[in-house]
Amino acid sequence: GHRFLAWERETYSGGGRVPFAKSGTPTWKRLWDLKVGDHIAVSSTLPEPTELVSIPDWEVEWVGMMIGDGCVSKSSKGYYNHNLTIGYQSPIQKAHCLQLIEDRGLKVRVADDGRKFTLFPTHGTGSRGKFHPMRDLMDRYKLSGHKAATKHIPKEFFSLSTRQVALLVSRLIDTDGWVSISNTGEVGYGTVSEQLAEDLIHLLLRLGVVGEKKVKNTTYNGELYTSYQVRVRKQGELLKL
């Protein structure tokens, strides 16, 4: 019984369609009353929830970066490996990640393959069984063990303040997104998780930004897979990011 604000396109006597700008006034329709060719209104912004969740900024940042390009995978021995990959294009981001890890009282091992850095937070030798704040964080939000195709935003993060939503979105884009200044400009994020793409579109609406989802079929290591891009191209909305 949900109602949609819809514009029913008028037709000329000769059968042609009236341009959308010249269509009649919008009317509220139920789902079963909508017809092919009707235009429906969609929200371009979402209000801040009345009941906000309080999460420290460092947790918002780390979860955002781990979802963006991190990995918490289960090893053959039954325990979880925990690492974060950062591209060479962002040495400032690498330094910031190192600081976040060190502020939690951990050490960090850095692997460098010539294209990217991979950070491994650890207590050092003889650390098995010790409390690991970074790994505990991922367990708490049920993100441990997820592969790239099943990544998602934890439900608690949809009730963050608008300021923290912006922080989360920025960390996602920092790790696996892009900013283009060619032509009219573009900010985007790529993922093989359709759920994560939908979650990001929802978060962008909290910032008054409408994200466009594009589906791409790509070949990687000889295998065909589906990926999703969330792109923002409108000038007024780019300035909000």
Side-chain angles (χ1 to χ4, degrees), residues 37-192:
D38 284 355
H39 285 258
I40 62 173
V42 295
S43 175
S44 60
T45 185
L46 289 175
E48 190 171 77
T50 54
E51 295 185 11
L52 298 177
V53 170
S54 178
I55 297 177
D57 279 357
W58 79 265
E59 291 191 8
V60 174
E61 288 192 85
W62 189 257
V63 168
M65 290 185 290
M66 286 297 295
I67 292 173
D69 211 6
C71 177
V72 184
S73 59
K74 199 170 186 178
S75 72
S76 58
K77 295 183 178 179
Y79 58 87
Y80 286 107
N81 298 312
H82 183 279
N83 62 75
L84 173 64
T85 301
I86 303 172
Y88 262 114
Q89 68 273 19
S90 184
I92 295 176
Q93 185 189 359
K94 177 197 172 188
H96 182 64
C97 290
L98 289 172
Q99 191 62 55
L100 278 178
I101 295 169
E102 291 169 358
D103 286 348
R104 309 280 77 78
L106 296 174
K107 298 178 181 179
V108 61
R109 179 169 61 86
V110 181
D112 184 346
D113 69 358
R115 295 182 298 108
K116 60 185 181 299
F117 296 105
T118 303
L119 309 181
F120 297 86
T122 176
H123 284 287
T125 57
S127 61
R128 185 168 297 180
K130 287 187 178 180
F131 173 69
H132 194 306
M134 302 310 213
R135 190 162 54 231
D136 176 72
L137 183 64
M138 303 304 286
D139 289 343
R140 189 171 0 124
Y141 292 120
K142 297 179 174 60
L143 293 171
S144 296
H146 278 280
K147 295 185 178 179
T150 61
K151 286 185 176 183
H152 61 281
I153 301 296
K155 59 182 178 60
E156 296 92 339
F157 285 63
F158 292 104
S159 296
L160 292 172
S161 68
T162 301
R163 180 190 67 81
Q164 286 194 310
V165 166
L167 180 62
L168 176 62
V169 169
S170 72
R171 295 301 174 256
L172 287 169
I173 294 172
D174 280 348
T175 47
D176 220 5
W178 66 88
V179 177
S180 172
I181 58 174
S182 61
N183 298 322
T184 58
E186 176 180 288
V187 173
Y189 180 80
T191 176
V192 294

Side-chain angles (χ1 to χ4, degrees), residues 187-202:
V187 173
Y189 180 80
T191 176
V192 294
S193 167
E194 186 171 16
Q195 183 61 59
L196 180 54
E198 294 288 349
D199 289 347
L200 177 56
I201 289 172
H202 182 107

